[in-house]
Amino acid sequence: MMKQPQTKEQELKKLAILSDRELFMELRTSLSGLSTADAQKRLEEVGLNQIDAEKPTPAWLIFLHAFKDPFVLVLALLMIVSFVTKDYEAAIVMAVMIAASATISFIQEYRSQKASLELKELIENTCAVTRNNQTKEIPMDEVVPGDIVTLATGDMIPADAVLIWTKDLFVNQSSLTGESMPIEKFVDAGMPVEQSLSALDMNNLVFMGTDVLSGQGKAIILKTGQHTFFGDIAKNATKQRGKTAFDTGLTKISRLLLRMVVVLFPIVFLVNGLTKGDWSAAFFFAIAVAVSLTPEMLPMIVTSNLAKGAMTLAKEKVIVKELPSIQNLGSIDVLCTDKTGTITEDRVVLVQHLNPFGEDDETVLDMAFVNSSYQTGWKNLMDIAVINYFEENARKLPFKEVVKVDEIPFDFSRRRLTVVVHADDHQWMITKGAVEEMEQICSHVRINGEIQPLTAPLKKRLRQVNHRLNKEGMRVLTVAIKKDVHQDAVYSVADEKEMTLIGFMGFLDPAKESAATAIQSLHQHGVSVKVLTGDNEIVAEKVCRDVGIDVNHALLGTDVDQMSDDELAKAAETINLFAKLNPMQKSRIIQALQADGHTVGFMGDGINDAPALRSADVGISVDTAADITKDASSIILLEKSLNVLDKGVVEGRKVFSNMMKYIKITISSNFGNVFSILVASAFLPFLPMLSIQLLVQNLIYDMAQLTIPWDRVDEEEIAKPVKWQVGGLLKFTLCIGPVSSVFDILTFLMMWFVISANTVAEQAVFQTGWFVVGLVTQTLVVHIVRTKKLPFIQSRASLPVIMASGLAIFTGIMLVLSPMKEFFDFAALPTNYWFGFICITIAYLVAVEIAKRFYIHLTKEWL
């Protein structure tokens, strides 16, 4: 009987119960790591450490996806029908339309992916790997089975691995299990494993797609890429971003336009069939009408706009990971931001090291330096400031020799970090951390070299020193020590008690000069700025005042926990500063604002910002952020600046505005044209235009619209957040669309009574006359509808749009005047036609401008 092959989970469980020695033998590795040659050989054998979802889409697949748009599919169906019914001319024109739309969409999408991949090289996630007995950072996709990786707070776990050493290691496995609580991981090799126990529940296994919340560890890579647990269930287990406002709005617009096609196609077919008696001609004409109603260039216009926006932002050092996030950026009306590095200089400097009474004390600096320099976790800005200050002042430690014994890493619940060293025949436990949390673990205080009990009066005096430093804008950390706790080399959180407080470290992170200007600009663009920080409210309030954020009251994390969701949503409307927050409180505030109808962006770079970045409509991080923070973001800034973000908001609004131009013009023109066709079909003894003529007119018009993404946008259009308004779009169509129909009917009357094209024999003249009027007016009306201002005078289109419009009109008139007119069944137009054509065109443009102003007066809005 053949044995069933082992599943990936069974393979991982089998490896997880091996001893370290057995693991090293099984994976042909050691604590010194793989050799460079062996690692390269394994990389060639197993491939890059990527899952299919992360790999770039092949060019051929992007090309096929370009045909998946519903409008292109409708056009393809109509083309097939035309081909089967031997209307080859119409089929060819439709094929050209499909090819143009799909090819341009493919080019834009391919270029966008290529640019995105090139930009992602700049933000490539790395991990610490030991090879040839040296530990260094390498790109995650180069990790291979057998590699020894070192894990620390904020790291993403690069592949499935088994732990061989840990220190208070807590991992977030929510991307695989949906469980938001952190999981403690530790070494338990050799322990028996229950068959029912999932690999995800095993204490010594860590997985690709998860991240380290706190602590440290070392692990041996077992499986990489598609062979990982994450790769096996990636399609189901990865957390997908929900539909954004952009996706929802575009879907609503698409459905509206497709409904117009489905409803009006049979009506046009029946009216023409019944009135003319030629059901075959009526059928082909109805197909042509359906084609003219189908905005087949919409996907291309949308893609071009987003791609152009991404390239524009790339020049401003902004990496767009997801194209739709550009438009979402233009929609945000609330920007929540962390304080450090965004509105401050992000160059924290140590300015004071004081004893408990606020006097300079070098011992406090020495102990803080040992803590910062010997810790192996995520070195924050204050650690770096302590090390830099110590070295710049050429300080020497008072100890002869310092040997590290142990470490209790920082985590967000304790808000402190402990390092244990052996120096001068003693074991020194040195802890630094947030003032409030440190006070809880201190029972004594050192004053003038003497250790005294920490009494209530002394506590009050210490708090006064801290309060004074805070009012001066400083961030304060407390330093405490404990000598010879025990002789063991292993320390735990339980040892952080009855410590002696020796003093304070005062850090200054001044407000950026540019932040005030950027925040003022964001306010002018209708975006309110709120600060969500883990720092205390006194320091944060001073920084907010310095940069122009109005702070009447600050809400603390403890206050947030006591509020209901409704109470929090109400408070978040008026409060601009939230302080002393933990990661989940930041996320909850963002969700409360979203529930109140706001589109929220969040900007942060800390590990504790990852939940908020995932919750926000637009997650914005920086290149220097932790791996998990960058992964949770949709936009990454290579320059940590609110000025850059303000430009991003403006660019997002330009993208939206230019997309809406095409949609507004398409819907209103289509509505008017179909009504005109129905009127003409009911009263004329012939078709108002041949199907091939209608198709060519539509093709020329669509080609002219390709330049819309490069159009100028009025300042007023980007002055406030933009949102999809399908209801407003219908009102706009009902106001502007009928104007087109009125002037179409005037054209019919001119052709019938003035030009005398009123018999079946003269139908070609009638059709040619309406073709020219329809093409020219539809092309020129773009310049009226593209702005709420007076066109050509107060607001002019960009040069590409003007040139495209001119080329479209020239092409249409040349088709009528050149020998090519016979191919499309056009007829020569009499001289008196051109005078009427000019009068109708001018009158139409004036009428649309009046209707536009009536719409703005009536609705008090502009799409």
Side-chain angles (χ1 to χ4, degrees):
M1 188 172 177
M2 291 184 64
K3 291 177 69 176
Q4 291 292 323
Q6 287 187 328
T7 64
K8 291 177 183 176
E9 184 170 9
Q10 288 170 334
E11 288 179 32
L12 288 173
K13 289 170 69 175
K14 181 182 175 183
L15 291 168
I17 62 173
L18 298 178
S19 66
D20 287 359
R21 182 172 175 275
E22 290 170 326
L23 269 172
F24 289 138
M25 291 179 64
E26 177 75 22
L27 294 163
R28 306 192 311 282
T29 188
S30 69
L31 274 176
S32 300
L34 301 171
S35 67
T36 304
D38 196 11
Q40 184 59 39
K41 185 179 177 182
R42 293 189 188 194
L43 187 62
E44 291 171 1
E45 289 174 359
V46 300
L48 289 172
N49 180 33
Q50 296 176 330
I51 60 171
D52 287 342
E54 295 173 326
K55 293 176 182 175
T57 308
W60 64 269
L61 199 54
I62 295 176
F63 186 70
L64 289 180
H65 284 167
F67 291 91
K68 283 179 64 177
D69 186 88
F71 301 119
V72 173
L73 292 175
V74 168
L75 206 57
L77 177 64
L78 296 174
M79 181 194 72
I80 292 168
V81 171
S82 297
F83 186 80
V84 170
T85 53
K86 298 183 179 180
D87 187 6
Y88 298 122
E89 291 177 347
I92 289 170
V93 173
M94 281 184 263
V96 170
M97 287 179 167
I98 293 170
S101 177
T103 301
I104 295 169
S105 289
F106 161 73
I107 291 170
Q108 293 289 359
E109 195 68 36
Y110 182 75
R111 282 179 177 172
S112 174
Q113 176 178 277
K114 186 179 178 183
S116 179
L117 290 172
E118 288 172 355
L119 290 169
K120 280 182 180 178
E121 291 294 320
L122 299 171
I123 56 162
E124 191 168 44
N125 291 331
T126 60
C127 60
V129 172
T130 302
R131 290 180 182 169
N132 299 321
N133 206 26
Q134 290 186 331
T135 302
K136 61 180 182 179
E137 294 284 329
I138 69 168
M140 273 190 193
D141 58 9
E142 294 178 12
V143 168
V144 296
D147 267 330
I148 308 295
V149 296
T150 301
L151 303 172
T153 303
D155 287 346
M156 291 181 69
I157 292 166
D160 292 357
V162 61
L163 294 162
I164 55 175
W165 174 81
T166 63
K167 178 68 175 176
D168 300 321
L169 184 67
F170 285 85
V171 173
N172 169 27
Q173 291 190 166
S174 62
S175 60
L176 296 179
T177 64
E179 175 58 55
S180 60
M181 293 298 292
I183 309 295
E184 185 174 9
K185 295 284 184 176
F186 45 84
V187 178
D188 60 358
M191 298 287 287
V193 179
E194 297 178 23
Q195 286 296 318
S196 60
L197 190 68
S198 165
L200 290 167
D201 295 325
M202 295 186 69
N203 298 322
N204 64 334
L205 285 177
V206 288
F207 302 91
M208 172 190 267
T210 64
D211 55 275
V212 179
L213 289 178
S214 63
Q216 302 165 284
K218 282 185 182 289
I220 303 176
I221 300 297
L222 303 177
K223 301 286 182 182
T224 60
Q226 203 61 33
H227 302 290
T228 60
F229 198 90
F230 185 74
D232 199 28
I233 59 174
K235 290 182 181 178
N236 301 317
T238 49
K239 183 182 177 182
Q240 298 293 326
R241 292 186 188 274
K243 280 200 169 185
T244 64
F246 173 83
D247 300 320
T248 305
L250 197 57
T251 300
K252 288 180 180 177
I253 296 293
S254 299
R255 285 177 180 167
L256 176 65
L257 294 170
L258 285 172
R259 284 193 192 112
M260 287 176 65
V261 173
V262 171
V263 170
L264 292 169
F265 173 82
I267 295 174
V268 172
F269 172 57
L270 289 172
V271 170
N272 278 286
L274 291 170
T275 56
K276 313 298 181 296
D278 187 343
W279 289 96
S280 174
F283 177 73
F284 293 130
F285 184 69
I287 287 178
V289 170
V291 171
S292 66
L293 282 171
T294 305
E296 62 280 347
M297 292 297 165
L298 182 59
M300 189 281 307
I301 294 285
V302 170
T303 305
S304 294
N305 265 294
L306 295 175
K308 177 185 172 290
M311 296 310 293
T312 301
L313 290 178
K315 293 174 185 175
E316 300 291 343
K317 298 183 180 179
V318 178
I319 296 172
V320 179
K321 286 173 63 182
E322 301 162 7
L323 282 181
S325 62
I326 299 172
Q327 193 277 322
N328 291 331
L329 194 57
S331 298
I332 65 170
D333 54 355
V334 176
L335 173 66
C336 296
T337 177
D338 189 22
K339 175 179 69 68
T340 305
T342 51
I343 60 177
T344 59
E345 287 283 359
D346 196 14
R347 57 172 185 86
V348 173
V349 290
L350 175 62
V351 290
Q352 291 190 321
H353 40 90
L354 311 172
N355 68 15
F357 287 171
E359 300 162 343
D360 286 343
D361 190 334
E362 300 293 344
T363 305
V364 176
L365 173 62
D366 294 339
M367 291 300 183
F369 173 76
V370 172
N371 178 284
S372 293
S373 59
Y374 281 88
Q375 67 116 333
T376 56
W378 180 266
K379 278 187 169 58
N380 62 30
L381 294 168
M382 283 170 288
D383 288 317
I384 295 168
V386 170
I387 294 168
N388 289 343
Y389 185 91
F390 190 90
E391 292 174 348
E392 287 167 4
N393 287 275
R395 284 283 302 166
K396 299 285 185 183
L397 285 174
F399 306 122
K400 292 179 182 177
E401 185 182 8
V402 178
V403 178
K404 183 176 177 181
V405 175
D406 202 4
E407 177 179 350
I408 308 172
F410 177 88
D411 66 52
F412 296 109
S413 56
R414 289 166 42 251
R415 301 216 306 156
R416 58 182 177 263
L417 166 72
T418 295
V419 168
V420 183
V421 297
H422 187 274
D424 293 352
D425 299 324
H426 294 286
Q427 277 195 175
W428 296 86
M429 183 176 171
I430 306 168
T431 304
K432 77 173 189 308
V435 174
E436 293 86 348
E437 282 74 6
M438 290 293 292
E439 186 182 283
Q440 294 169 11
I441 63 168
C442 289
S443 58
H444 291 77
V445 61
R446 192 186 69 179
I447 301 171
N448 297 325
E450 295 183 5
I451 297 176
Q452 304 177 18
L454 185 56
T455 60
L458 279 174
K459 279 186 179 180
K460 182 178 180 181
R461 188 164 178 183
L462 295 177
R463 289 170 184 169
Q464 287 173 345
V465 173
N466 176 47
H467 188 74
R468 173 175 64 79
L469 294 174
N470 285 162
K471 288 192 76 173
E472 292 173 10
M474 290 186 210
R475 168 77 183 274
V476 182
L477 293 183
T478 299
V479 181
I481 60 172
K482 194 175 182 182
K483 189 164 63 173
D484 297 327
V485 177
H486 48 67
Q487 293 303 310
D488 296 338
V490 179
Y491 281 69
S492 68
V493 174
D495 293 315
E496 293 179 329
K497 62 182 180 181
E498 298 178 358
M499 299 193 73
T500 300
L501 191 154
I502 64 169
F504 302 106
M505 307 289 289
F507 301 86
L508 198 60
D509 184 10
K512 286 182 178 177
E513 289 183 15
S514 61
T517 308
I519 288 168
Q520 183 182 9
S521 182
L522 283 165
H523 285 161
Q524 288 170 351
H525 286 120
V527 180
S528 62
V529 181
K530 299 179 185 292
V531 174
L532 277 56
T533 180
D535 286 353
N536 71 63
E537 70 278 16
I538 301 171
V539 173
E541 189 171 334
K542 181 182 186 304
V543 173
C544 287
R545 284 198 305 270
D546 289 345
V547 297
I549 297 175
D550 207 12
V551 179
N552 296 321
H553 175 63
L555 204 64
L556 304 183
T558 50
D559 302 325
V560 171
D561 283 340
Q562 293 170 7
M563 290 180 163
S564 68
D565 289 344
D566 289 340
E567 288 171 336
L568 181 59
K570 186 176 180 181
E573 285 290 330
T574 55
I575 292 175
N576 291 331
L577 174 60
F578 298 83
K580 301 287 287 183
L581 300 175
N582 64 36
M584 298 318 295
Q585 288 165 343
K586 289 184 180 183
S587 179
R588 189 175 166 222
I589 291 165
I590 288 170
Q591 290 168 354
L593 287 163
Q594 289 170 325
D596 219 27
H598 294 286
T599 303
V600 184
F602 179 77
M603 183 175 177
D605 66 343
I607 304 159
N608 59 334
D609 291 324
L613 288 163
R614 286 194 181 102
S615 297
D617 293 286
V618 185
I620 306 148
S621 188
V622 292
D623 181 38
T624 53
D627 292 341
I628 186 61
T629 309
K630 289 186 284 187
D631 190 62
S633 307
S634 49
I635 287 177
I636 294 179
L637 309 181
L638 297 182
E639 187 177 289
K640 196 188 279 189
S641 166
L642 283 178
N643 276 323
V644 174
L645 192 57
D646 183 48
K647 290 176 183 176
V649 168
V650 170
E651 190 61 34
R653 294 179 186 180
K654 286 180 180 177
V655 165
F656 180 85
S657 178
N658 282 332
M659 281 192 298
M660 285 306 297
K661 286 174 189 175
Y662 178 78
I663 292 169
K664 283 188 296 186
I665 295 159
T666 299
I667 292 186
S668 58
S669 295
N670 288 352
F671 178 84
N673 287 344
V674 169
F675 186 74
S676 304
I677 286 167
L678 289 174
V679 170
S681 299
F683 296 102
L684 294 176
F686 47 79
L687 291 173
M689 202 183 298
L690 297 181
S691 57
I692 186 65
Q693 296 167 348
L694 198 55
L695 290 170
V696 168
Q697 184 189 71
N698 196 46
L699 178 62
I700 295 171
Y701 169 74
D702 279 340
M703 290 296 109
Q705 302 312 300
L706 297 182
T707 54
I708 278 185
W710 287 266
D711 192 19
R712 293 193 187 100
V713 177
D714 296 336
E715 286 296 321
E716 292 83 352
E717 298 296 302
I718 57 175
K720 59 182 181 180
V722 290
K723 299 185 187 294
W724 293 97
Q725 297 177 13
V726 177
L729 197 57
L730 284 171
K731 286 186 284 186
F732 178 86
T733 301
L734 292 173
C735 191
I736 303 296
V739 178
S740 173
S741 298
V742 168
F743 281 87
D744 281 334
I745 293 169
L746 284 175
T747 303
F748 298 158
L749 294 173
M750 179 187 76
M751 298 306 297
W752 187 272
F753 293 108
V754 179
I755 309 300
S756 300
N758 48 21
T759 64
V760 174
E762 294 293 321
Q763 65 175 319
V765 177
F766 187 100
Q767 292 159 350
T768 305
W770 191 37
F771 171 88
V772 174
V773 169
L775 177 62
V776 173
T777 54
Q778 194 173 17
T779 302
L780 290 177
V781 80
V782 171
H783 297 266
I784 308 294
V785 178
R786 60 169 291 280
T787 175
K788 66 186 292 186
K789 294 181 177 180
L790 193 63
F792 306 111
I793 298 171
Q794 293 178 328
S795 176
R796 285 188 297 277
S798 64
L799 184 61
V801 174
I802 292 172
M803 290 178 66
S805 298
L807 185 60
I809 293 170
F810 175 78
T811 302
I813 293 175
M814 286 307 297
L815 282 180
V816 170
L817 298 179
S818 71
M820 287 184 66
K821 66 176 180 287
E822 295 178 5
F823 180 78
F824 299 103
D825 291 328
F826 289 130
L829 291 167
T831 305
N832 60 341
Y833 164 82
W834 295 105
F835 176 75
F837 156 75
I838 292 170
C839 291
I840 286 175
T841 302
I842 293 172
Y844 171 69
L845 297 178
V846 171
V848 170
E849 178 64 23
I850 293 169
K852 180 182 80 176
R853 297 197 173 278
F854 175 73
Y855 166 80
I856 294 170
H857 175 76
L858 193 67
T859 62
K860 304 290 190 275
E861 66 181 18
W862 182 246
L863 293 172

